[in-house]
Amino acid sequence: MNDLVHQHTALDDSDLEWLHLLVSEWQLLSDLSFADLVLWIPTLDGTRYVSVAQMRPNTGPTSYQNDMVGHLVPRGRRPMLDAALDEGRIVREGDPEWREEVPVRVESIPVRREGRVLGVIARNTNLLTVRTPSRLELTYLQSASDLAQMIAAGSFPFPGQQVDMDASPRAGDGLIRLDADGIVQYASPNALSAYHRLGLAADLVGHHLGETTAQLAPSRAPVDESLAKLASGWAPREFEVEANGGVIQLRAIPLKPKGNHIGSLVLLRDVTELRRRERELITKDATIREIHHRVKNNLQTVAALLRLQARRISSPEGREALEEAVRRVGSIAIVHETLSQNLDERVEFDEIADRVLAMVSEISPGRVTTRRTGRFGVLDAEVATPLSMVLTELLQNALEHGFGAGEQGTVEVTAVRGGSRADARLLISVQDDGRGLPEGFDPQRAGNLGLQIVRTLVEGELGGTFDMRPASERGTRVVLDIPVRAGKP
């Protein structure tokens, strides 16, 4: 719609925002009218109309089999559009049109904003299945007529009331029509069932909806007074009511077709099961986060015990082995700490990689500089945990075996995401400018425990490849190629 309006019309951004607000609301008008809606805007030169939006009803058959958006029609071809635009009134005159052997009633509703007519809504009703309307259908049509008059007067939609069409109740979910005093004139079967879910034993018709709703809700005086006003439909609001184990979502729409408040529409939907599932998910998420938090605490306790044990060992080899174990446990704890702060089982691994770099670099303070380039991105927990251990081992190996006492150097970790969304991959390199690999060294057969851990995790758990080779100028370069699920870049 933005492109069509900017390309063909003279409307400014504030007018376009009004049209967006209208389009966010007009599914309701389409459903209440049992009709298709097409929004026509006059072109910049005033000789044609361009259709910028279209809506089909959920409550009846469509009048258009094809998409009308983008069509251009010269002035004069559709006199009802001209009359509505020029005279600023709803035009219903004229006989039904025949489209593919289907009779269609056409009406034109001017779209007014701040005294100016921006365009015209063509309301097209398929008359092929017309029959004697029920009370529900009559209420729908009367409500649609009131809304159409409000659009023509510029009082609907309501400024600042952007509606989420997917989350808000629709006409078919449940509809209540109130008079000017908030008394229920009509309640659809779905609406009545929703109120029965809250504990209502009687009918709604003839009762004050605000007072009835407040009586059903838990007794809290200030809330009751506010709830009674909201449910009376005096202001355009969305709210929820919970009582007797049920939850209903309500949306109040004041009706002022001629400037005076004549009543309200209240759309409502039973969202009891939806809210129950949301609470279960929240509880589940909280439980998972608590588990990760406790695992992190336990791992930190294990690391502290190993550190204490290392201090009591006189053998340098034994002390070094325990300190390596402390770092391995610490890398896993970092992942669980990050997971304990998230709502899902996915982590931003760049933060974890930086913390692993800082932790491992402590074994060579002031001698070797570590840095990261590129981005790991968001990874699933089942990838992040083994990858953090792999990174710890590779960094630890580079710092311990690549540099001697007092030697200066650099260890750089590079990460690149690539591949398609269905086959995303993560290419990681760990490169140092140290002394390099010994003569005849075979990384695939080396008995070093750290390299055994790397091979097992990369090839076994992560399903990737591992390669260690001399760097192009000096030092050692390790390359990992790991498949990952496509997440955030």
Side-chain angles (χ1 to χ4, degrees):
M1 185 168 72
N2 288 4
D3 293 340
L4 290 171
V5 168
H6 288 143
Q7 181 180 356
H8 294 286
T9 78
L11 300 184
D12 58 26
D13 289 340
S14 60
D15 294 330
L16 181 58
E17 183 63 28
W18 182 262
L19 296 183
H20 277 292
L21 194 61
L22 172 66
V23 168
S24 73
E25 292 274 17
W26 72 344
Q27 179 70 66
L28 174 62
L29 178 62
S30 178
D31 290 344
L32 294 176
S33 304
F34 308 97
D36 292 77
L37 305 178
V38 180
L39 178 57
W40 297 93
I41 306 296
T43 57
L44 185 61
D45 59 10
T47 62
R48 296 180 295 176
Y49 298 96
V50 58
S51 58
V52 299
Q54 178 178 358
M55 179 58 66
R56 291 184 171 90
N58 294 317
T59 52
T62 183
S63 302
Y64 289 108
Q65 298 302 320
N66 300 319
D67 192 350
M68 295 295 296
V69 175
H71 283 217
L72 290 164
V73 174
R75 275 184 67 95
R77 180 175 296 180
R78 299 191 177 182
M80 296 179 71
L81 289 181
D82 298 338
L85 182 69
D86 297 337
E87 301 174 23
R89 64 180 180 88
I90 299 175
V91 180
R92 296 189 176 94
E93 299 86 358
D95 297 326
E97 297 180 1
W98 287 84
R99 301 175 186 166
E100 299 180 358
E101 300 183 355
V102 175
V104 177
R105 182 174 63 243
V106 181
E107 303 168 87
S108 295
I109 305 167
V111 177
R112 191 183 304 273
R113 174 180 180 262
E114 296 180 352
R116 297 182 299 117
V117 177
L118 306 182
V120 179
I121 295 176
R123 181 163 56 177
N124 304 271
T125 307
N126 188 322
L127 300 177
L128 195 61
T129 58
V130 169
R131 54 185 174 79
T132 303
S134 64
R135 178 72 186 281
L136 181 144
E137 291 168 334
L138 289 173
T139 303
Y140 272 28
L141 293 172
Q142 180 58 55
S143 302
S145 176
D146 293 335
L147 288 177
Q149 292 182 57
M150 292 171 65
I151 292 173
S155 58
F156 186 82
F158 304 109
Q161 294 288 323
Q162 189 76 28
V163 174
D164 185 348
M165 294 176 62
D166 295 328
S168 294
R170 300 190 178 189
D173 297 326
L175 179 142
I176 297 175
R177 175 85 184 212
L178 308 179
D179 65 12
D181 297 321
I183 305 300
V184 178
Q185 294 180 311
Y186 175 79
S188 71
N190 285 346
L192 192 57
S193 296
Y195 264 82
H196 287 166
R197 186 73 176 264
L198 295 182
L200 180 70
D203 195 359
L204 276 172
V205 176
H207 294 273
H208 191 280
L209 185 66
E211 295 175 357
T212 301
T213 305
Q215 290 170 3
L216 292 172
S219 179
R220 294 191 297 271
V223 177
D224 289 350
E225 182 179 355
S226 173
L227 185 60
K229 291 182 178 178
L230 288 173
S232 297
W234 282 93
R237 294 287 187 274
E238 283 195 26
F239 56 99
E240 289 189 2
V241 177
E242 182 172 359
N244 197 38
V247 185
I248 61 172
Q249 179 185 16
L250 300 97
R251 181 188 175 206
I253 303 174
L255 297 176
K256 302 177 181 180
K258 296 182 180 179
N260 297 320
H261 181 78
I262 66 165
S264 305
L265 273 184
V266 178
L267 307 178
L268 63 153
R269 177 171 57 184
D270 186 343
V271 293
T272 304
E273 294 304 315
L274 178 62
R275 296 295 177 261
R276 182 185 62 81
R277 289 195 296 269
E278 288 177 351
R279 291 186 183 116
E280 288 179 352
L281 289 174
I282 291 173
T283 302
K284 179 182 177 181
D285 289 339
T287 302
I288 291 173
R289 290 199 300 272
E290 178 62 21
I291 290 172
H292 284 303
H293 180 71
R294 294 189 181 190
V295 170
K296 182 263 296 183
N297 289 343
N298 291 337
L299 289 172
Q300 289 179 337
T301 300
V302 171
L305 292 173
L306 292 173
R307 196 176 293 111
L308 287 173
Q309 188 66 43
R311 294 172 183 169
R312 294 176 176 270
I313 293 180
S314 57
S315 167
E317 293 82 3
R319 187 182 304 112
E320 182 179 347
L322 286 177
E323 288 174 350
E324 287 183 359
V326 168
R327 286 188 286 273
R328 288 166 184 152
V329 172
S331 67
I332 302 175
I334 290 173
V335 177
H336 283 283
E337 181 179 4
T338 305
L339 288 169
S340 69
Q341 300 169 359
N342 291 348
L343 294 176
D344 55 18
E345 292 291 288
R346 297 172 68 77
V347 296
E348 179 64 60
F349 196 80
D350 296 314
E351 178 186 348
I352 293 175
D354 291 340
R355 294 181 63 181
V356 169
L357 279 166
M359 178 183 68
V360 176
S361 64
E362 292 177 357
I363 67 176
S364 57
R367 294 188 295 113
V368 180
T369 301
T370 59
R371 64 170 178 259
R372 171 180 62 86
T373 59
R375 291 196 61 203
F376 288 86
V378 175
L379 299 177
D380 290 336
E382 57 263 31
V383 175
T385 302
L387 183 56
S388 67
M389 286 195 64
V390 168
L391 194 58
T392 301
E393 296 298 332
L394 293 176
L395 290 168
Q396 189 168 281
N397 188 73
L399 291 170
E400 288 185 353
H401 303 292
F403 304 92
E407 291 183 354
Q408 301 292 322
T410 302
V411 179
E412 182 175 18
V413 178
T414 304
V416 178
R417 294 287 285 260
S420 64
R421 186 169 183 83
D423 184 28
R425 306 193 72 81
L426 180 60
L427 189 66
I428 306 167
S429 72
V430 180
Q431 181 169 330
D432 65 71
D433 55 4
R435 65 186 63 167
L437 298 173
E439 189 70 28
F441 180 81
D442 184 358
Q444 300 300 327
R445 297 183 179 180
N448 179 285
L449 177 60
L451 290 181
Q452 289 180 13
I453 292 174
V454 171
R455 284 198 302 271
T456 300
L457 292 177
V458 171
E459 298 173 359
E461 289 199 32
L462 296 175
T465 60
F466 158 69
D467 184 33
M468 176 182 282
R469 64 176 82 102
S472 57
E473 296 182 0
R474 182 186 176 188
T476 305
R477 176 180 171 85
V478 179
V479 178
L480 309 176
D481 187 355
I482 299 171
V484 293
R485 293 181 185 175
K488 298 177 184 176

